């Protein structure tokens, strides 16, 4: 019996490219399953970044970033996966040197047997450091037997532009010419396309001029690209000069050439020139389609040129181009916004006659236009037509109609429309109820006013916030301020009120000259246990200063400081001016410094006041130079500036120097005789006060105050 064959052990299959998967590494993707399987890239492990220390302004070094520049962005392995092995070797040499050109990089690159222009282009396509790319490009050009080709030059141009060095990229044509490789139209096209994509119109024209200097004539396509970039960036004159060159070269316009010029002329409002180009376009057997005409109308509407829009519309009809819905909507919307709603309505009827589907937006534009024109009846007729057409009116349409009805005092009909918006679930907002609240207030129908407020509260309105908006709207016209106060007095009884409303009314009363009434509101606010905020105290400061109650104004200022807040600029200016009038010049100068230290853009008078103080060290002539500069800025010397002159002259110079300045201002009729006398008295009083302070300081320094007190002197009690 023959022996049984023993099966051999199965040979382990060796994973290879077709069947298996190889060991993954950072730079080599893993292949699963076979030749056509998906490829995955292993991402290098990223160590968590240490938490950054809290920012301390006192330790901030403005030169830190310039001394420690951040490294250039590192390309991911996915970007390098398509590179050739030699290109990867070069990129790896850059990475080892931390993307800094030096002997170590040159040493690694010298290991290469041969460098080709295609290899240089391959490296530059993925390089994100323009300086390193330029160094590598220059190094490659010096290698024996090497010459750059168009691909490497183009890759360098893309690299420089990609990293914001487009001005350097513009110099590549000269570099190519110097290296015996004159640029062609393609190189200039690349530069023009780069600048056009970034809306750099002047750089496009610069490259075009350089192209002419090299004796290269663009093709029609490139001419169109240049003119389009210039028109889009607002350089129509340059685009027209390029068009003259276009015609001078004997080239024939395409349809897009004419449309670029027409859009540019429409944007500039040059309708006559645009019609001339349109005539020339017809002579070339070209005719704009409905989309081109709509684009022209849209540009003219955006510029408010309605006459030009209608002229383009006539040209469209002359060419036999049938307008579509978008063309009608664009023109009707422009006519309604420009106050020509009747002409827009005629186009609307023309659409209906042609059986064109009219969108809801068309109804909304016409209704808003009729309301602005005071034709509420026509607007209501369009609403009926809208509903009969199967549309549902949106909130904007209802808001326009409610506002129009309130303008003609049809408040009851407006209120019914408001109820309709609620029933249809349109969620009306403050814009819906504002005109009704105003009419109720003007007609003194406060019961209906409060009824509307209650309904607003049920609908989820923030009533106090909306009342603040309402009072802000009412007091925009000064003559309605008294009505606003009257309405608020009636609302207070029903529990409506807030600090913001008090602030609005106080500011409005002050603007209309009713300071006493504003201060009574401030007192009432405190009596009702409302907590005033910094705006309240700022308004009170201004009112107290105008009421010549500087002490109370200072108390309000201190209240703001206790709240760790900053007064308004108007409050700073008013209180400083008031302190100067009563001779408290030192306190006023402290406020000037405090204001400029706390606010972003303080009054120019404060800035010049602090400029005058050190100028007093050099005498009257230097001060007059500062005042002359100030007057050139349109700022005549006021009370604060004159007080700064008094303070600076008493501190650094003499009374006579100050009097020279005031005498010069009197000669130039910048101060009246009465003001000169007042400032002279303040000058003497301020100097006496400073002298007395020096005497008191001397007595205290030498310890003589006890002897004076023993003799019954009250001098030190000051």
């Amino acid at each position: 019996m023959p022996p049984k064959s023993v099966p051999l052990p199965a040979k382990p299959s060796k994973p290879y490219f077709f069947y298996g998967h190889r060991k993954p590494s950072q730079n080599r993707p893993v292949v699963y399953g076979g030749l056509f399987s998906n490829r995955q890239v292993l991402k290098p492990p990223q160590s968590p970044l240490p938490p950054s220390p809290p920012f301390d302004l006192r330790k901030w070094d403005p030169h830190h970033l310039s001394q420690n520049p951040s490294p250039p962005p590192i390309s991911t392995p996915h970007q390098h996966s398509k590179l050739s092995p030699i290109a990867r070797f070069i990129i790896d040499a850059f990475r080892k040197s931390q993307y800094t050109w030096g002997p170590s990089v040159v040493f690694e690159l010298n290991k290469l047997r041969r460098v080709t222009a295609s290899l240089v282009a391959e490296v530059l396509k993925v390089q994100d450091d323009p300086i390193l790319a330029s160094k590598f490009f220059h190094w490659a050009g010096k290698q024996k037997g090497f010459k750059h080709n168009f691909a490497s030059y183009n890759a360098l141009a893309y690299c420089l532009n990609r990293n914001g060095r487009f001005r350097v990229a513009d110099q590549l044509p000269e570099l190519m010419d110097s290296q015996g490789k004159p640029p062609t139209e393609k190189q200039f096209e690349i530069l023009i396309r780069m600048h056009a994509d970034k809306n750099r119109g002047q750089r496009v024209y610069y490259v075009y001029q350089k192209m002419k200097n090299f004796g290269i004539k663009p093709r029609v396509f490139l001419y169109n690209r240049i003119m389009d970039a210039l028109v889009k960036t607002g350089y129509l004159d340059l685009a027209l000069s390029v068009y003259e060159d276009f015609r001078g070269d004997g080239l024939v316009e395409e349809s897009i050439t004419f449309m670029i010029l027409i859009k540019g002329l429409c944007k500039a409002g040059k309708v006559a020139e645009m019609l001339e180009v349109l005539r020339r376009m017809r002579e070339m057997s070209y005719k704009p389609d409905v989309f081109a005409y709509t684009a022209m109308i849209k540009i003219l509407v955006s510029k408010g040129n309605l006459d030009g829009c209608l002229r383009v519309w006539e040209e469209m009809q002359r060419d036999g181009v049938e307008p579509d819905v978008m063309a009608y909507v664009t023109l009707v919307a422009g006519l309604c916004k420009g106050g020509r709603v009747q002409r827009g309505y005629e186009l609307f009827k023309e659409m209906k006659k042609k059986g064109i589907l009219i969108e809801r937006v068309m109804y909304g534009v016409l209704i808003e236009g009729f309301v602005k024109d005071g034709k509420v009846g026509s607007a209501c007729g369009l609403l009926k037509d809208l509903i009969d057409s199967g549309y549902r009116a949106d909130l904007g349409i209802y808001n326009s109609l409610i506002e129009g009805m309130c303008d003609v005092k049809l408040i009851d009909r407006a209120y019914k429309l408001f109820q309709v918006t609620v029933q249809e679930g349109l969620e009306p907002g403050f814009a819906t109820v504002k005109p009704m609240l105003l009419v109720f207030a003007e007609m003194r129908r406060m019961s209906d006013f409060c009824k509307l407020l209650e309904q607003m509260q049920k609908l989820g309105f923030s009533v106090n916030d909306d009342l603040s908006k309402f009072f802000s709207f009412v007091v925009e016209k000064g003559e309605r301020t008294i009505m606003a106060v009257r309405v608020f007095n009636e609302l207070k009884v029903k529990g409506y009120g807030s600090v913001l409303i008090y602030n609005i009314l106080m500011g409005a009363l002050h603007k209309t000259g009713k300071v006493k009434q504003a201060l009574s509101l401030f007192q009432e606010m405190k009596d009702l246990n409302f907590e005033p905020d910094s705006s309240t105290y700022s308004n009170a400061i201004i009112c107290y200063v105008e009421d010549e109650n500087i002490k109370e104004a200072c108390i309000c200022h201190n209240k703001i400081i206790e709240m760790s807040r900053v007064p308004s600029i108007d409050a700073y200016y008013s209180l400083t001016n008031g302190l100067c009038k009563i001779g408290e010049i030192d306190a006023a100068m402290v406020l000037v410094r405090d204001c400029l230290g706390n606010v972003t853009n303080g009054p120019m008078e404060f800035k010049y006041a602090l400029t005058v103080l050190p100028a007093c060290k050099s005498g009257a002539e230097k001060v007059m130079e500062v005042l002359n500069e100030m007057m050139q800025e349109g700022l005549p010397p006021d009370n604060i500036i004159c007080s700064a002159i008094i303070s600076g002259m008493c501190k650094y110079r003499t009374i006579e120097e100050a009097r020279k300045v005031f005498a010069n201002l009197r000669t130039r009729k910048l101060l009246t005789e009465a003001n000169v006398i007042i400032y002279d008295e303040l000058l003497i009083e301020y100097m006496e006060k400073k002298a007395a302070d020096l005497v008191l300081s001397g007595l205290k320094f030498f310890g003589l105050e006890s002897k004076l007190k023993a003799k019954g002197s009250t001098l030190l009690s000051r």
Side-chain angles (χ1 to χ4, degrees):
M1 186 175 178
K4 296 181 178 179
S5 61
V6 181
L8 296 174
K11 185 178 179 181
S13 59
K14 181 180 179 181
Y16 67 107
F17 179 74
F18 187 85
Y19 292 108
H21 63 270
R22 57 181 173 237
K23 184 178 179 181
S25 66
Q26 177 179 343
N27 295 321
R28 298 185 68 189
V30 184
V31 180
Y32 286 99
L35 182 61
F36 301 104
S37 56
N38 295 329
R39 305 179 69 186
Q40 298 181 359
V41 176
L42 293 182
K43 296 183 179 180
Q46 297 181 354
S47 57
L49 296 175
S52 57
F55 177 73
D56 188 354
L57 182 62
R58 294 170 295 182
K59 298 179 180 179
W60 177 62
D61 181 8
H63 304 292
H64 173 71
L65 290 177
S66 60
Q67 294 172 357
N68 301 286
S70 58
I74 300 175
S75 302
T76 61
H78 178 68
Q79 291 175 313
H80 295 167
S81 59
K82 297 181 179 180
L83 294 179
S84 64
I86 301 179
R88 290 190 188 185
F89 171 80
I90 296 173
I91 296 296
D92 193 50
F94 293 161
R95 181 184 56 80
K96 289 178 181 178
S97 65
Q98 298 181 350
Y99 296 92
T100 303
W101 187 267
S104 59
V105 178
V106 176
F107 176 77
E108 292 291 328
L109 295 179
N110 286 335
K111 295 178 181 179
L112 298 173
R113 181 176 299 176
R114 191 168 70 93
V115 177
T116 63
S118 59
L119 177 63
V120 173
E122 188 180 7
V123 172
L124 294 179
K125 285 179 182 178
V126 297
Q127 187 53 244
D128 292 324
D129 186 346
I131 298 176
L132 188 61
S134 301
K135 296 280 189 181
F136 172 68
F137 184 87
H138 179 65
W139 172 86
K142 294 193 300 182
Q143 301 308 301
K144 185 177 179 180
F146 179 87
K147 284 187 178 181
H148 288 292
N149 61 7
F150 289 123
S152 60
Y153 284 114
N154 296 344
L156 180 60
Y158 280 115
C159 176
L160 293 171
N161 180 75
R162 187 171 61 245
N163 295 283
R165 303 297 179 92
F166 53 87
R167 293 181 180 85
V168 181
D170 287 346
Q171 308 306 316
L172 281 180
E174 286 84 352
L175 178 64
M176 296 176 67
D177 191 55
S178 65
Q179 294 181 352
K181 196 78 171 177
T184 64
E185 185 194 33
K186 183 64 178 178
Q187 279 66 55
F188 289 103
E189 180 187 341
I190 290 172
L191 297 175
I192 288 170
R193 186 171 66 249
M194 290 175 179
H195 294 312
D197 292 342
K198 295 295 183 180
N199 295 321
R200 295 191 286 258
Q202 289 183 320
R203 301 302 298 185
V204 169
Y205 189 73
Y206 171 76
V207 175
Y208 167 70
Q209 291 289 349
K210 184 178 291 189
M211 188 176 185
K212 287 170 58 179
N213 294 337
F214 274 91
I216 300 175
K217 293 183 179 181
R219 293 169 296 162
V220 176
F221 166 77
L222 193 53
Y223 263 121
N224 290 341
R225 191 68 183 259
I226 294 168
M227 289 186 286
D228 186 52
L230 292 172
V231 166
K232 285 182 178 178
T233 52
Y235 297 104
L236 178 62
D237 294 338
L238 297 179
L240 293 175
S241 69
V242 173
Y243 179 61
E244 292 300 323
D245 295 341
F246 176 96
R247 301 188 70 188
D249 288 344
L251 299 176
V252 179
E253 297 93 336
E254 296 177 346
S255 176
I256 188 65
T257 311
F258 289 114
M259 288 310 305
I260 290 170
L261 294 173
I262 287 173
K263 288 181 180 179
L265 291 168
C266 287
K267 192 180 294 185
K270 298 181 177 181
V271 180
E273 292 86 343
M274 180 270 295
L275 293 175
E276 177 61 25
V277 175
L278 190 60
R279 182 192 62 78
R280 200 179 304 149
M281 184 177 181
R282 290 194 186 103
E283 291 176 355
M284 299 287 294
S285 300
Y286 292 121
K287 185 175 68 173
D289 57 9
V290 65
F291 303 106
Y293 274 116
T294 304
M296 287 186 255
I297 294 171
K298 189 174 182 180
I299 292 171
L300 290 168
V301 164
S302 65
K303 299 298 179 181
N305 192 342
L306 299 182
D307 293 329
C309 291
L310 295 174
R311 189 69 184 275
V312 170
W313 189 264
E314 292 173 1
E315 294 294 329
M316 181 170 64
Q317 292 177 331
R318 176 185 170 187
D319 284 342
V321 177
E322 193 66 27
D324 60 2
V325 176
M326 182 57 67
Y328 274 111
V329 170
T330 304
L331 182 57
V332 171
L335 291 171
C336 291
K337 290 179 181 178
R340 301 189 186 183
V341 64
Q342 196 59 44
R343 181 71 177 95
Y345 185 62
E346 291 174 5
L347 291 172
F348 169 79
K349 291 190 292 185
E350 182 182 312
M351 289 180 69
K352 295 196 74 175
K353 186 177 179 181
K354 291 181 178 180
I356 299 176
L357 179 64
I358 301 175
E359 299 179 353
R360 184 172 63 178
V361 65
M362 175 78 81
Y363 284 101
V365 167
L366 284 169
I367 288 172
E368 185 180 352
F370 276 126
V371 167
K372 287 183 179 179
D373 208 23
K375 299 176 180 178
V376 182
S378 300
C380 293
L382 277 174
L383 175 64
K384 183 177 181 302
D385 192 359
L386 170 71
I387 296 172
D388 293 342
S389 299
Y391 288 111
R392 180 188 176 199
D394 59 12
L395 185 60
I397 293 175
Y398 280 119
N399 286 351
S400 297
L401 287 169
I402 289 172
E403 184 178 0
M405 291 177 178
C406 290
D407 289 341
V408 295
K409 298 297 184 287
L410 297 175
I411 182 62
D412 294 325
R413 293 187 183 180
Y415 187 74
K416 288 180 182 178
L417 272 184
F418 170 68
Q419 298 291 355
V420 171
T421 63
V422 175
Q423 292 170 4
E424 294 189 0
L426 294 177
E427 299 183 0
F430 175 70
T432 311
V433 299
K434 179 181 70 174
M436 293 190 292
L437 291 173
L438 179 61
V439 175
F440 281 139
E442 290 175 343
M443 299 176 69
R444 297 181 179 241
R445 293 172 56 174
M446 292 308 298
S447 59
D448 293 327
F449 190 101
C450 295
K451 180 181 175 182
L452 182 55
L453 289 181
E454 292 173 2
Q455 188 171 0
M456 289 166 58
Q457 197 160 10
K458 291 178 182 177
L459 292 172
F461 284 72
S462 178
V463 175
N464 276 332
D465 291 343
D466 288 336
L467 279 176
S468 302
K469 297 176 187 175
F470 170 72
F471 283 111
S472 296
F473 167 71
V474 171
V475 300
E476 285 177 359
K477 295 183 179 179
E479 62 271 14
R480 297 194 303 210
T481 302
I482 299 301
M483 183 193 76
V485 175
R486 172 177 57 77
V487 171
F488 183 59
N489 287 335
E490 297 191 35
L491 290 177
K492 283 185 297 188
V493 182
K494 299 185 180 294
Y496 296 107
S498 66
V499 174
L500 183 55
I501 295 176
Y502 274 106
N503 293 345
I504 293 168
L505 294 177
M506 284 178 64
L509 288 169
H510 167 257
K511 287 180 181 178
T512 54
K514 298 176 175 60
V515 177
K516 294 284 187 184
Q517 201 169 348
L519 290 174
S520 67
L521 272 182
F522 177 60
Q523 190 60 44
E524 174 191 296
M525 181 181 178
K526 293 192 291 186
D527 294 340
L528 293 176
N529 295 324
F530 282 101
E531 288 292 334
D533 58 11
S534 61
S535 298
T536 313
Y537 283 121
S538 294
N539 287 331
I541 287 172
I542 299 171
C543 293
Y544 276 128
V545 170
E546 292 195 12
D547 198 38
E548 298 183 354
N549 192 344
I550 306 300
K551 181 179 178 182
E552 286 296 329
C554 292
I555 292 173
C556 291
H557 172 268
N558 293 337
K559 289 285 187 182
I560 297 175
I561 301 304
E562 290 173 5
M563 297 165 63
S564 299
R565 303 298 296 273
V566 178
S568 67
I569 294 177
D570 291 336
Y572 266 123
Y573 186 87
S574 180
L575 184 54
T576 303
N577 198 31
L579 289 170
C580 290
K581 285 182 179 178
I582 63 173
E584 294 294 336
I585 296 176
D586 289 340
M589 293 300 109
V590 170
L591 270 184
V592 167
R593 292 185 175 89
D594 185 54
C595 174
L596 295 180
N598 289 327
V599 302
T600 304
N601 193 13
M604 289 299 295
E605 291 86 352
F606 285 10
K607 297 176 183 178
Y608 276 108
L610 293 187
T611 308
V612 164
L613 288 174
C616 291
K617 295 179 182 179
S618 304
E621 292 183 359
K622 184 64 176 177
V623 173
M624 288 309 304
E625 290 179 8
V626 176
L627 295 180
N628 290 335
E629 177 188 332
M630 178 180 169
M631 286 182 284
Q632 288 175 359
E633 296 289 332
L635 298 171
D638 62 354
N639 199 19
I640 298 172
I641 297 297
C642 293
S643 298
I645 294 170
I646 292 173
S647 175
M649 289 301 183
C650 290
K651 184 176 181 180
Y652 300 114
R653 304 290 288 192
T654 62
I655 291 179
E656 295 304 322
E657 288 288 324
R659 284 173 174 166
K660 286 182 184 178
V661 177
F662 292 137
N664 186 288
L665 294 176
R666 174 73 184 101
T667 304
R668 298 165 65 180
K669 296 183 180 181
L670 295 171
L671 289 179
T672 63
E673 188 67 34
N675 285 336
V676 172
I677 295 172
I678 292 172
Y679 288 131
D680 193 68
E681 292 177 356
L682 282 175
L683 179 63
I684 296 171
E685 181 183 344
Y686 186 76
M687 182 62 82
E688 290 176 349
K689 182 179 178 182
K690 286 297 179 183
D693 290 341
L694 287 174
V695 172
L696 291 175
S697 299
L699 292 173
K700 290 180 180 180
F701 180 77
F702 290 106
L704 300 176
E705 65 271 20
S706 58
K707 295 182 180 180
L708 289 174
K709 288 180 180 179
K711 293 181 179 180
S713 174
T714 59
L715 183 63
L716 295 177
S717 61
R718 297 175 61 187

